[in-house]
Amino acid sequence: MKGDTVKPWTSILLLACGMGALPVQAAHPDDAKGLWITAEKDAVIEFKPCADKPSALCAHIVWDKDAGTSTDTCGVQIAQMERYDDAAWRAGWVYDPRGKRKYKGVLRVKSGDLFIRAFIGVEVLGETEQLKRVTSLPANPVCKS
Amino acid sequence: MFEFRQFTVLLLATMASVTAMNAMAQEATASYVIDTEVKFTTDQRTRGISDSLNGPSAKVSVQAAHESGLIALAEFASVSRDQFLDGSGLGVTLAAGYRFGDSEGWHYGVGLAREMFPGSRFDAPQGFDLNTGTPTEFRSGNYDSSFAVLEVGYGAIEGRLMNVISKSYRGANTGSVCGTMLALMADPTEGLECYARGVHGSRGSWLLDLDYKYKLAPNTTLTLHVGKQKVKNFKEADFTDERIGIAHKQWGYEWGAEWVMTQTKVRELYLAQDGDRLRKTDNDRLVLSVSRKF
């Protein structure tokens, strides 16, 4: 019967679920520092200690593919995290410059990528953006601010 | 007096400037969020069954979430009037609930949902007279269903269990199930046996979903799904479905491709009259989609 074919697919799903259980190196607060490019490669964000509070982590847009246009977001601060705890930067906020809204936030570095979760209330009510580390900014366009 | 006025203006201007600079940092974090998504797809599938008679469909979803954990969802999708008879061609899903837990670990949700097809109705015989060989007790029904929903997830694995609390699941009752079997199956035995079990609805049906998402790249996600549907009182209508798909975000849109597979026990229950021919709604197929959030 056609219905019997479900078992192999169930096995595939269960097997695939194991893909998330790869060994992960112990995380360190400094792992999040540096330059990170967004999933759609439309902005680079720099994470570094806040100028007015070195124990916290601040994030600013340092490259925007729309730099120099009316939607330029160069220089905008998009996150600030107050403390590092349980392998994540926490107790902070994340700002969405396009939607112009501010959310609670948490940052994690896993398998070399940075995961920014913006949420309301509790972490489960949110969305995660995955960023890749870059060592330098794209040549063009240049952020002036 | 003049100097005092100048000083006041200067002070107010300075305060305004400082306020503007700190506005973003001082701004309170959002206590709620409302997301709207518009989606176009080559086939509107619900649990592996086409609702759009294998044709293209549009769907608008509005989801609201409050920091307390309360969530609400409204979805409006175009569906086939050949499947949802006499209807407006619209499928509406309304849901409300509460989510809590750890997104990286165990998380949970409870809620209620209602699926409606405005205006859509059908007439079906609830009995069959073996002496005269004719159907009896024609009653009108609709495809609307209500559900109690329980969600349990761990990390990227999401499980959802739904129990049908309305009289029927998508109109499944003695008239629609047994009548269709008797009308469309070559051998009338199973249809008659179905009628012999008496008049029933399908309240108490169970629907189970298991989903997993795996990031292949920051903007590309692999999605896997298995679903099992157990229709109360009508095991002939039980079915399973699976999906394997890729979703890719680019230019502000999400582009999707999914291979959808459905295994029904009695395929005649998932045929739809399209003019003078019957069409399958449970066939395996590739479904493409594009969506955008606002």
Side-chain angles (χ1 to χ4, degrees):
Chain A
M1 189 173 72
K2 200 181 174 212
D4 291 337
T5 57
V6 69
K7 285 176 184 170
W9 282 105
T10 309
S11 305
I12 290 170
L13 179 69
L14 293 171
L15 186 67
C17 292
M19 288 193 289
L22 297 172
V24 179
Q25 280 188 319
H28 187 274
D30 287 347
D31 292 346
K33 293 173 185 171
L35 300 174
W36 301 88
I37 193 163
T38 57
E40 291 200 34
K41 297 183 169 51
D42 54 3
V44 174
I45 299 159
E46 183 177 29
F47 287 81
K48 60 183 183 182
C50 301
D52 57 346
K53 191 176 183 186
S55 62
L57 190 69
C58 281
H60 292 82
I61 295 174
V62 292
W63 179 82
D64 181 352
K65 74 172 178 55
D66 295 328
T69 71
S70 58
T71 56
D72 185 338
T73 58
C74 289
V76 172
Q77 184 177 355
I78 63 106
Q80 182 166 330
M81 299 290 147
E82 296 299 318
R83 61 182 165 80
Y84 188 82
D85 181 31
D86 194 17
W89 280 96
R90 300 172 190 275
W93 51 264
V94 174
Y95 178 68
D96 170 11
R98 298 251 148 63
K100 295 185 168 39
R101 294 199 76 185
K102 197 171 162 186
Y103 304 94
K104 289 182 179 177
V106 61
L107 299 182
R108 291 182 178 88
V109 177
K110 292 189 291 188
S111 306
D113 291 344
L114 182 70
F115 295 80
I116 304 180
R117 187 162 184 86
F119 59 93
I120 55 164
V122 288
E123 264 192 63
V124 74
L125 299 177
E127 283 192 14
T128 302
E129 173 92 3
Q130 184 179 355
L131 292 88
K132 288 277 184 191
R133 188 181 286 282
V134 290
T135 52
S136 59
L137 300 180
N140 289 300
V142 176
C143 273
K144 294 199 168 63
S145 54
Chain B
M1 182 71 179
F2 178 75
E3 283 178 5
F4 176 73
R5 219 180 263 164
Q6 264 190 328
F7 173 75
T8 308
V9 171
L10 187 64
L11 179 66
L12 289 173
T14 307
M15 284 171 66
S17 171
V18 170
T19 303
M21 284 170 63
N22 291 328
M24 204 254 296
Q26 304 277 321
E27 185 189 332
T29 53
S31 59
Y32 70 93
V33 65
I34 297 174
D35 283 329
T36 302
E37 184 185 66
V38 177
K39 184 175 188 176
F40 295 96
T41 178
T42 56
D43 192 356
Q44 174 59 41
R45 293 263 169 161
T46 300
R47 321 187 76 78
I49 304 294
S50 176
D51 287 346
S52 55
L53 202 51
N54 307 312
S57 171
K59 183 161 79 173
V60 177
S61 307
V62 181
Q63 183 164 347
H66 185 260
E67 63 181 357
S68 62
L70 293 173
I71 53 164
L73 170 76
E75 280 188 350
F76 306 88
S78 58
V79 298
S80 169
R81 297 178 67 182
D82 290 323
Q83 289 174 265
F84 300 97
L85 304 172
D86 296 331
S88 58
L90 190 67
V92 180
T93 302
L94 302 175
Y98 177 68
R99 282 194 178 130
F100 58 102
D102 175 9
S103 61
E104 296 282 299
W106 289 103
H107 47 270
Y108 310 90
V110 290
L112 294 170
R114 172 91 175 149
E115 183 184 50
M116 296 170 287
F117 300 92
S120 188
R121 300 196 71 78
F122 63 90
D123 292 316
Q126 301 298 315
F128 190 83
D129 188 335
L130 286 171
N131 295 320
T132 59
T134 53
T136 60
E137 288 184 67
F138 275 83
R139 284 188 210 162
S140 186
N142 63 46
Y143 304 92
D144 299 353
S145 316
S146 299
F147 311 90
V149 185
L150 171 68
E151 295 175 330
V152 179
Y154 184 81
I157 304 170
E158 303 279 351
R160 179 182 295 127
L161 186 63
M162 298 168 74
N163 183 249
V164 174
I165 55 176
S166 53
K167 279 196 299 187
S168 74
Y169 170 57
R170 288 195 152 204
N173 62 23
T174 298
S176 62
V177 176
C178 308
T180 302
M181 289 170 67
L182 195 57
L184 299 181
M185 293 179 80
D187 179 358
T189 311
E190 286 189 59
L192 292 173
E193 285 175 353
C194 179
Y195 269 120
R197 298 201 298 261
V199 177
H200 299 287
S202 48
R203 189 195 310 273
S205 296
W206 290 98
L207 316 175
L208 174 66
D209 294 312
L210 192 59
D211 292 272
Y212 178 69
K213 288 183 180 178
Y214 180 76
K215 286 263 189 186
L216 298 172
N219 56 350
T220 307
T221 306
L222 170 72
T223 58
L224 300 171
H225 163 88
V226 290
K228 188 165 182 63
Q229 289 67 228
K230 288 190 75 68
V231 182
K232 182 82 172 180
N233 297 318
F234 303 101
K235 61 181 184 301
E236 302 88 348
D238 291 354
F239 64 103
T240 57
D241 68 291
E242 301 88 37
R243 291 194 309 266
I244 180 165
I246 295 278
H248 180 75
K249 287 182 182 171
Q250 191 72 48
W251 309 307
Y253 294 87
E254 183 166 292
W255 308 83
E258 284 188 315
W259 181 249
V260 182
M261 295 156 286
T262 313
Q263 294 83 41
T264 51
K265 282 190 172 177
V266 176
R267 299 199 76 182
E268 285 80 358
L269 293 173
Y270 298 95
L271 295 174
Q273 191 81 41
D274 181 17
D276 57 356
R277 65 185 179 132
L278 291 168
R279 292 179 61 186
K280 298 169 187 169
T281 60
D282 64 343
N283 46 330
D284 300 347
R285 72 177 309 186
L286 179 69
V287 176
L288 305 176
S289 65
V290 59
S291 62
R292 186 177 179 105
K293 277 187 178 174
F294 298 93

